[in-house]
Every structure is written in C-alpha cells, then in structure tokens.
C-alpha cells in the first residue's frame, strides 16, 4: 500500500469514528429538534464556518461557480439518504435501519462494478457477506431471537431506497471529480447544495426550524455535528474516495457499530458486551481485507 492509499485509509477511518460520534451527539438533540431541521442547521453552520476561508483565496473563489453544478448532484444523493431515513423512521425502527444500512458496502461494490468496471471476485464477495454478518452480530448483540423476529415493513423499503442514494453519493464523489478540483471547495459547494435540498425537505415535510430550542450543552453537541460530523467527514470522504474508490470507502460502514461501542466505552464508560466481541472482530477483519489491492487474493 503506497503513501496516498495509506493516508486515504486513515482519512476514512477518522471519518468513521466522527460519524459514530454523531450518533452519540444526536441522541439529546433529536428529542428537541426534528432531524431534517438539525441536518439543515448542520449544513448552514458548516457553510458559515467555511465561508471566510473560501473568500480569503482567489483560487477558491474562482472555483465555486464551476463546481456548484456537480456539487448539487453529489449533495442530492447525500440529502436523499437523510430524507429517506427520516421518512422511513415514521414506520420502522432504528434497529431495522441499522441492519439494512449494512447492505450499503455490497450495493456500492455492485454499482461500482457497472460504472467503474471494478471487478468483484468470488473471494471478495464472500468477504462482503462475512463483514455484513459481523456487523449484524454487533447490532443484534448476538441475540438470535431478535434476528429471527426481524421483518421488513413499508418504512424499510423507503430506507433501502435511501441507502441506495448513499451508494450513489459515494460513487458520484469519484465519478464527478475532475483533475484540478480543490477538495475544500467541493466540500463547500456540496454543503451549499445540501442546504438547498434540505431546505426543500423542510418545505415538503412541513417541518419547523425550532433552532431556538438548542441551548446549554446541546450547543456543544450541535457544534460537534457541524464541525466533526459534517465539515471533516465530508472532506475526509471526498479525499479518500478519489484515491480508494467508493467500494473500499463504503466498506468501512461495517465498522460503524464497532466505532460507536468504542466511543461509548471511552466517553460514557459503557463496557462492551462480551457477546458482541466476535462480531467486532469479524467486522474489523472483513473491512481491512476489503482494502487490499485487487491483485492480492483475499
């Protein structure tokens, strides 16, 4: 693995833990402000933070208008995922969505095969399945009865469509990338597009902003979502997807439950249940096997 690929893997690993932290930060916020409004505020806040940087350099300013059209497409897929998730949660459960989200790496690999001709060997396909099993093990906490009782409903089908949008988001990061693009400008323009799409979402679903309800410690949670879970993650995903490709980047989704468990251990001193340790090990091994080069058998 060369230096650029190693750096890209480090970026996406950081992004995975930042996303995991967003689940923890969102717990209290979600009970106060509706999720669409929260995401809209994340985009607006991130735009305002990046705006002085973009305006400070002529090379950044000159790239904005040429980047916006492509960023609108990228941000559309990103926003459709959130809208699909919010709509799905009206009729399904967080457990169902977490389970279905584990299909994203495999879906992305299949789409990348058709779009970028990324070959999926039988061995690699098996690793995807193993990673999925390991992640589901963690999600269901090794409780076979929960898995047996798992069933799909109308909200789940909506979330599956949202998850496919997330696959296209990752693919579009690479497909729409042009030589000479400035990553921070792409991030800025993607956030602008996201704010526009989420604003439309607020109108379509008739949701109020309620930003005045974010007070006290919730302000710190919101700041984390804006900087850590929005600016940095979008930047890290942009940088890593161009180098690694969407399939390898999305395979880190298998580590999401693992990252949440580790963060809860350090932040809330919540011990990792022994029953989920095998699932953590399986998910971790599968994720890193999927990072190996095509010429290396997995």
């Amino acid at each position: 693995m060369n230096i650029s690929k190693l750096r890209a893997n480090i970026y996406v690993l950081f992004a995975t833990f930042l996303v995991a932290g967003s689940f923890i930060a969102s717990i209290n916020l979600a009970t106060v402000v509706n999720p669409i409004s929260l995401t809209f505020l994340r985009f607006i806040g991130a735009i305002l933070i990046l705006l002085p940087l973009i305006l400070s350099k002529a090379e950044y300013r000159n790239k904005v208008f040429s980047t916006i059209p492509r960023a609108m497409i990228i941000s559309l897929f990103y926003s459709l995922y959130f809208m699909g998730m919010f709509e799905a949660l009206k009729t399904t459960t967080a457990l169902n969505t977490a389970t279905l989200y584990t299909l994203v790496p495999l879906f992305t690999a299949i789409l990348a095969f058709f779009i970028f001709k990324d070959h999926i060997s039988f061995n690699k396909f098996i690793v995807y399945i193993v990673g999925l099993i390991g992640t589901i093990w963690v999600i269901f906490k090794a409780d076979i009865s929960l898995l047996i009782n798992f069933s799909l409903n109308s909200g789940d089908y909506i979330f599956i469509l949202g998850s496919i949008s997330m696959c296209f988001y990752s693919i579009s990061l690479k497909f729409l990338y042009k030589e000479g693009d400035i990553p921070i400008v792409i991030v800025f323009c993607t956030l602008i597009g996201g704010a526009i799409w989420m604003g439309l979402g607020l109108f379509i679903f008739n949701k109020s902003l309620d930003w005045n309800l974010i007070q006290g410690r919730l302000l710190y949670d919101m700041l984390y979502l804006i900087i850590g879970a929005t600016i940095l993650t979008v930047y890290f995903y942009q940088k890593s997807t161009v180098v690694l490709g969407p399939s390898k980047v999305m395979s880190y989704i298998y580590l999401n439950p693992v990252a949440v468990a580790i963060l809860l251990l350090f932040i809330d001193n919540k011990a990792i249940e022994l029953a989920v340790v095998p699932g953590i090990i399986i998910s971790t091994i599968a994720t890193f096997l999927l990072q190996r080069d095509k010429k290396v058998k997995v």
Side-chain angles (χ1 to χ4, degrees):
M1 183 181 292
N2 60 38
I3 296 299
S4 63
K5 288 186 177 181
L6 177 61
R7 186 184 298 115
N9 275 285
I10 293 173
Y11 284 158
V12 71
L13 186 61
F14 279 154
T16 300
F17 275 88
L18 288 170
V19 170
S22 72
F23 289 111
I24 299 172
S26 297
I27 291 175
N28 294 325
L29 283 166
T31 62
V32 177
V33 181
N34 74 80
I36 298 181
S37 179
L38 280 177
T39 307
F40 184 51
L41 179 56
R42 284 171 61 176
F43 288 146
I44 293 296
I47 290 169
L48 293 176
I49 289 174
L50 288 179
L51 185 59
L53 174 62
I54 299 299
L55 294 177
S56 67
K57 291 189 176 183
E59 61 175 322
Y60 292 172
R61 297 194 302 270
N62 294 337
K63 283 281 188 178
V64 169
F65 287 107
S66 62
T67 304
I68 279 286
R70 288 177 290 134
M72 288 295 292
I73 298 173
I74 294 170
S75 62
L76 173 62
F77 293 124
Y78 194 50
S79 299
L80 283 175
Y81 163 73
F82 285 109
M83 291 182 189
M85 179 181 69
F86 301 148
E87 184 64 22
L89 287 171
K90 292 179 180 178
T91 53
T92 190
T93 65
L95 182 62
N96 279 30
T97 56
T99 304
L100 293 171
Y101 196 56
T102 62
L103 295 172
V104 169
L106 182 57
F107 284 169
T108 304
I110 293 172
L111 289 171
F113 170 75
F114 289 104
I115 296 173
F116 300 115
K117 306 301 180 184
D118 286 351
H119 180 64
I120 308 174
S121 66
F122 178 75
N123 286 349
K124 182 168 286 191
F125 177 78
I126 293 300
V127 175
Y128 274 112
I129 299 301
V130 170
L132 188 151
I133 291 172
T135 308
I136 288 178
W137 187 312
V138 177
I139 292 170
F140 285 96
K141 298 181 179 180
D143 189 337
I144 192 66
S145 63
L146 287 176
L147 181 59
I148 292 174
N149 292 325
F150 177 80
S151 61
L152 297 178
N153 56 52
S154 59
D156 294 325
Y157 294 114
I158 294 174
F159 186 73
I160 289 173
L161 293 176
S163 296
I164 292 174
S165 291
M166 178 57 77
C167 300
F168 277 108
Y169 161 69
S170 180
I171 286 173
S172 65
L173 286 175
K174 182 169 184 175
F175 186 77
L176 296 175
Y177 176 80
K178 290 184 177 180
E179 192 70 31
D181 275 345
I182 302 173
I184 195 65
V185 176
I186 297 177
V187 171
F188 180 73
C189 294
T190 300
L191 292 171
I192 290 177
I196 293 172
W197 296 124
M198 294 311 292
L200 287 173
L202 283 169
F203 176 75
I204 292 170
F205 294 111
N206 193 27
K207 298 292 185 180
S208 57
L209 291 177
D210 295 328
W211 293 348
N212 60 299
L213 300 177
I214 302 176
Q215 302 174 4
R217 183 181 174 183
L218 293 179
L219 290 171
Y220 295 103
D221 291 329
M222 195 68 236
L223 193 60
Y224 173 82
L225 291 181
I226 291 172
I227 297 176
T230 303
I231 296 176
L232 292 179
T233 54
V234 173
Y235 178 79
F236 286 149
Y237 279 138
Q238 171 64 40
K239 292 281 286 185
S240 57
T241 301
V242 171
V243 176
L244 300 176
S247 299
K248 289 185 177 182
V249 170
M250 286 294 102
S251 69
Y252 274 87
I253 284 175
Y254 291 141
L255 292 183
N256 277 357
V258 177
V260 171
I262 292 173
L263 288 177
L264 285 174
L265 174 63
F266 286 100
I267 296 173
D268 292 338
N269 199 29
K270 186 176 181 180
I272 298 175
E273 297 180 34
L274 188 61
V276 306
V277 172
I280 290 175
I281 295 173
I282 293 171
S283 299
T284 303
I285 292 175
T287 300
F288 285 101
L289 281 176
L290 289 170
Q291 305 312 308
R292 300 175 70 174
D293 293 333
K294 295 177 183 178
K295 62 184 180 181
V296 180
K297 293 183 178 181
V298 294

